[in-house]
Amino acid sequence: MRKSVRVFAPATVANVVCGYDVLGFAVNAPGDEVIMKLTGGTGITLSKITGDDGKLPLDPEKNTVSASVKHYLDYIGQPDLGIDIELHKKMPIGSGLGSSSASTVAGLFAVNTLLDNLLNTKELVPFAMKGEELACGYGHADNVAPALMGGFVLIRSYTPLDIISLPFPENLHAAIVYPEVDVPTKDARQMIRSKVLLKDAVTQWGNVAGLVSGLFMNDYELIGRSMTDILVEPVRSILIPDFYQLRELAMDAGAIGFGISGSGPSVFALTKDAETAGKITKSLQQHLKDIAINSLSFVSEVNKKGPIILD
Amino acid sequence: MRKSVRVFAPATVANVVCGYDVLGFAVNAPGDEVIMKLTGGTGITLSKITGDDGKLPLDPEKNTVSASVKHYLDYIGQPDLGIDIELHKKMPIGSGLGSSSASTVAGLFAVNTLLDNLLNTKELVPFAMKGEELACGYGHADNVAPALMGGFVLIRSYTPLDIISLPFPENLHAAIVYPEVDVPTKDARQMIRSKVLLKDAVTQWGNVAGLVSGLFMNDYELIGRSMTDILVEPVRSILIPDFYQLRELAMDAGAIGFGISGSGPSVFALTKDAETAGKITKSLQQHLKDIAINSLSFVSEVNKKGPIILD
């Protein structure tokens, strides 16, 4: 039995434009790392957090990683197991890329590895959702499910939880650009209206069904046509500098579809190859630079593995 | 070139529970027949309608079959072509099984056949939607698209019209029961609220995505779990006698899912074979008989062909 493990868990793009709260996919970069050790003592300690600019709590009850690991240990009947956690943030916080999710998932995958995979990956999702509840005030699964399972994931239902892995074209890539402006997830959620027109909801679920069909059919055009959001994007895009210009630049550079990642401010495009994704990030970062906004960018194929053990 | 043709077009189940206005499938029975002849004269005549109890207009401008054929002829630039139409209704009107759609589709398929398939099947959909507008006050496509194309169909978008044929399990069958009570489509639509809670819409599009995934994956259980409608069914079911008892009987008899066909009052179940479908119709019809309601029933596999030329 292992005494320690180092795990990487990936960033994720939730919603995928039309699939608010039900769709998400993982990417290979960025992501977070957790180093976890069995201490032989009692209880959870958080000995180190790096890369967070001091933003995250070291109190094990308040930190999402340790809190969700605690839920896991309670569930498996080893509530007092001695565990030390190091969290190495390798991605921006509050970026809309599932930062809390990547940390939480790395922690849960690590503890489950140390305990000889007592649970299967899908069974870890509810524990990761507890972490999201602590981080965002809302236990959504559209980041943690793809971070745990890799690839594209559909959350068909929350009660009961019903998670479906979706196929996707082999060469599907994502171009991600994070404009360094502040959009807290809680605020971004509160901007969304609680009531919508039925006819707009019909438009939306036609697109959700189209996107899912496109993924099964390896039909890039259908995937692209379906990446339309008339309910949430019009509100959330207000917080993102030059959102519609960024979309135009991405589409002009060959994106099959473009939108907000999660609650933003990161934006993403899907492409048929890495080269196009690279062109897109270059074009979008140049535009942001021209309007004096710093940005980070990431190019990755859609992640096929979920979390990985580094050593 | 043919001078006359007899065409059968199938009944259809629109919505498929969760997919209001975007999903539908066709069955092999019931359906309507149109006999169409090139007269050599000018203009459209409707010489005969049978099986409608005198309910349908013989005026070519008011009848949905002739009116949509007229749209087609105008479009292809032969507005004065001499055509005679006989319409033989072989299914109940106002049943929620796409009765007007079956007639309209049979007419359009017939005229397109007489004109050597000038348009492909998918291109006929907009003309059939014109017929639906005349019949129901609303040009929806979730009956006419599956009636024309066969199988399961997704209407991803209405503007622009974007129709996707979906796969489905080889042995998927439908059990349909039509309780002979009156539910006009226009009234059934008007009962539905125009605004819905976003959280309910999210639940619904999770199910739409789940149903589409289940069809691609040949996963009967997923198809069944996804056949839930929290937005429209609670309202429409009021007009259907003992709806929830009928659901329970259908599920007890082995249905994978159950719901209202279109705007009702017909109900349908999906099953893995014809035998189970037969059990379900028997059980539901007995229940309706016990509460003094006449009914008709149909058992069919999901239609794989769309309209067919009979002779």
Side-chain angles (χ1 to χ4, degrees):
Chain A
M1 191 165 156
R2 275 171 172 276
K3 296 282 183 195
S4 78
V5 68
R6 186 162 71 102
V7 166
F8 166 89
T12 39
V13 172
N15 302 342
V16 199
V17 187
C18 54
Y20 180 68
D21 274 1
V22 308
L23 289 174
F25 68 87
V27 289
N28 291 338
D32 284 343
E33 285 179 29
V34 159
I35 299 171
M36 191 175 287
K37 294 190 180 95
L38 294 174
T39 59
T42 333
I44 301 174
T45 51
L46 249 172
S47 60
K48 192 190 273 185
I49 303 179
T50 64
D52 70 328
D53 291 330
K55 287 181 190 165
L56 298 181
L58 272 161
D59 177 345
E61 286 184 22
K62 290 185 183 154
N63 186 284
T64 62
V65 182
S66 40
S68 56
V69 167
K70 183 66 167 68
H71 280 294
Y72 172 96
L73 293 177
D74 289 346
Y75 177 82
I76 63 159
Q78 301 198 46
D80 300 322
L81 191 70
I83 279 177
D84 181 68
I85 299 170
E86 283 183 24
L87 171 60
H88 299 284
K89 295 293 304 175
K90 310 239 166 174
M91 60 181 288
I93 294 170
S95 56
L97 293 170
S99 170
S100 61
S101 156
S103 302
T104 303
V105 163
L108 285 165
F109 196 85
V111 69
N112 196 46
T113 301
L114 291 179
L115 291 165
D116 285 336
N117 298 306
L118 268 178
L119 303 186
N120 69 41
T121 308
K122 213 187 229 185
E123 289 170 331
L124 297 177
V125 174
F127 302 100
M129 288 170 70
K130 287 277 188 184
E132 293 295 82
E133 203 175 326
L134 193 61
C136 319
Y138 174 65
H140 63 117
D142 48 356
N143 290 110
V144 294
L148 272 165
M149 297 165 69
F152 264 85
V153 172
L154 163 68
I155 299 106
R156 184 199 62 86
S157 159
Y158 276 82
T159 42
L161 193 61
D162 188 11
I163 293 170
I164 320 290
S165 275
L166 302 177
F168 52 91
E170 179 68 22
N171 287 320
L172 194 62
H173 279 71
I176 293 173
V177 173
Y178 165 49
E180 293 183 352
V181 295
D182 199 29
V183 179
T185 304
K186 277 187 194 174
D187 294 358
R189 287 197 79 85
Q190 279 160 8
M191 287 178 68
I192 299 169
R193 288 161 302 172
S194 63
K195 281 200 171 188
V196 298
L197 290 173
L198 176 61
K199 73 177 184 59
D200 290 344
V202 169
T203 300
Q204 196 91 353
W205 65 62
N207 282 319
V208 173
L211 177 53
V212 169
S213 299
L215 291 171
F216 274 96
M217 296 162 79
N218 283 315
D219 183 335
Y220 288 110
E221 303 309 313
L222 176 54
I223 292 169
R225 293 200 298 280
S226 305
M227 286 171 65
T228 304
D229 172 7
I230 59 168
L231 293 179
V232 177
E233 184 179 280
V235 180
R236 284 192 168 161
S237 59
I238 296 166
L239 299 175
I240 298 167
D242 284 359
F243 176 78
Y244 292 99
Q245 286 101 310
L246 294 178
R247 177 204 291 279
E248 205 176 321
L249 288 169
M251 298 310 289
D252 286 350
I256 61 168
F258 175 85
I260 302 169
S261 177
S263 53
S266 288
V267 293
F268 78 103
L270 290 179
T271 68
K272 296 178 194 178
D273 53 59
E275 195 194 342
T276 309
K279 271 190 208 160
I280 291 169
T281 55
K282 198 174 163 191
S283 168
L284 269 57
Q285 287 198 283
Q286 183 61 52
H287 181 86
L288 289 167
K289 195 178 168 190
D290 291 347
I291 57 172
I293 291 173
N294 287 330
S295 64
L296 295 175
S297 74
F298 308 94
V299 166
S300 164
E301 62 176 6
V302 173
N303 172 293
K304 296 180 170 84
K305 292 180 192 159
I308 47 173
I309 297 171
L310 296 175
D311 51 53
Chain B
M1 190 166 156
R2 276 171 172 274
K3 294 282 183 197
S4 78
V5 68
R6 185 161 71 102
V7 167
F8 166 88
T12 39
V13 172
N15 301 343
V16 201
V17 186
C18 54
Y20 181 67
D21 274 1
V22 308
L23 289 174
F25 68 87
V27 288
N28 291 337
D32 285 343
E33 285 180 30
V34 159
I35 299 171
M36 191 174 286
K37 295 189 178 95
L38 294 174
T39 61
T42 333
I44 300 173
T45 51
L46 249 173
S47 60
K48 192 191 273 186
I49 302 180
T50 65
D52 70 328
D53 292 332
K55 287 179 189 166
L56 299 180
L58 272 160
D59 177 346
E61 287 185 21
K62 290 184 182 156
N63 186 285
T64 60
V65 181
S66 41
S68 56
V69 168
K70 183 67 168 64
H71 279 294
Y72 172 96
L73 293 176
D74 288 346
Y75 178 82
I76 63 161
Q78 301 197 45
D80 299 322
L81 190 69
I83 279 178
D84 180 67
I85 298 170
E86 284 183 25
L87 170 60
H88 299 284
K89 294 294 301 175
K90 310 241 165 175
M91 61 180 289
I93 295 169
S95 55
L97 294 170
S99 171
S100 61
S101 154
S103 301
T104 303
V105 163
L108 285 165
F109 196 85
V111 69
N112 197 46
T113 302
L114 291 179
L115 292 165
D116 286 337
N117 298 308
L118 267 179
L119 303 187
N120 69 40
T121 307
K122 214 184 226 185
E123 289 170 332
L124 297 177
V125 174
F127 302 100
M129 287 170 70
K130 287 276 188 185
E132 293 295 82
E133 202 174 328
L134 194 60
C136 319
Y138 174 65
H140 62 118
D142 47 356
N143 290 111
V144 295
L148 272 165
M149 298 165 69
F152 264 83
V153 171
L154 163 68
I155 300 106
R156 185 199 61 85
S157 158
Y158 276 84
T159 39
L161 193 61
D162 188 10
I163 293 170
I164 319 290
S165 276
L166 301 177
F168 52 90
E170 178 70 20
N171 286 320
L172 194 62
H173 279 71
I176 293 173
V177 173
Y178 164 48
E180 294 183 351
V181 295
D182 199 28
V183 178
T185 304
K186 277 187 192 174
D187 295 357
R189 286 197 80 86
Q190 279 160 8
M191 288 178 66
I192 299 167
R193 289 162 302 174
S194 65
K195 280 200 172 186
V196 299
L197 290 173
L198 176 61
K199 74 178 182 60
D200 290 344
V202 169
T203 300
Q204 195 91 352
W205 66 58
N207 283 317
V208 172
L211 177 52
V212 169
S213 299
L215 291 170
F216 274 97
M217 295 162 81
N218 283 315
D219 183 334
Y220 287 109
E221 304 307 313
L222 177 54
I223 292 169
R225 293 200 298 279
S226 304
M227 287 172 66
T228 303
D229 172 8
I230 59 168
L231 292 179
V232 177
E233 183 178 279
V235 180
R236 284 191 169 162
S237 59
I238 295 165
L239 300 174
I240 297 167
D242 284 358
F243 176 78
Y244 292 99
Q245 285 101 311
L246 294 178
R247 176 204 291 278
E248 205 176 320
L249 288 169
M251 299 309 288
D252 286 350
I256 60 168
F258 175 86
I260 303 169
S261 177
S263 54
S266 289
V267 293
F268 79 104
L270 290 179
T271 67
K272 295 178 196 178
D273 53 60
E275 195 194 341
T276 308
K279 270 188 211 164
I280 291 169
T281 55
K282 200 174 161 191
S283 167
L284 270 54
Q285 287 199 282
Q286 183 59 52
H287 181 85
L288 289 166
K289 195 179 168 191
D290 292 346
I291 57 171
I293 291 173
N294 287 329
S295 65
L296 295 174
S297 74
F298 308 94
V299 166
S300 163
E301 61 176 9
V302 173
N303 171 293
K304 297 180 169 84
K305 292 179 192 161
I308 49 174
I309 296 170
L310 296 175
D311 51 53

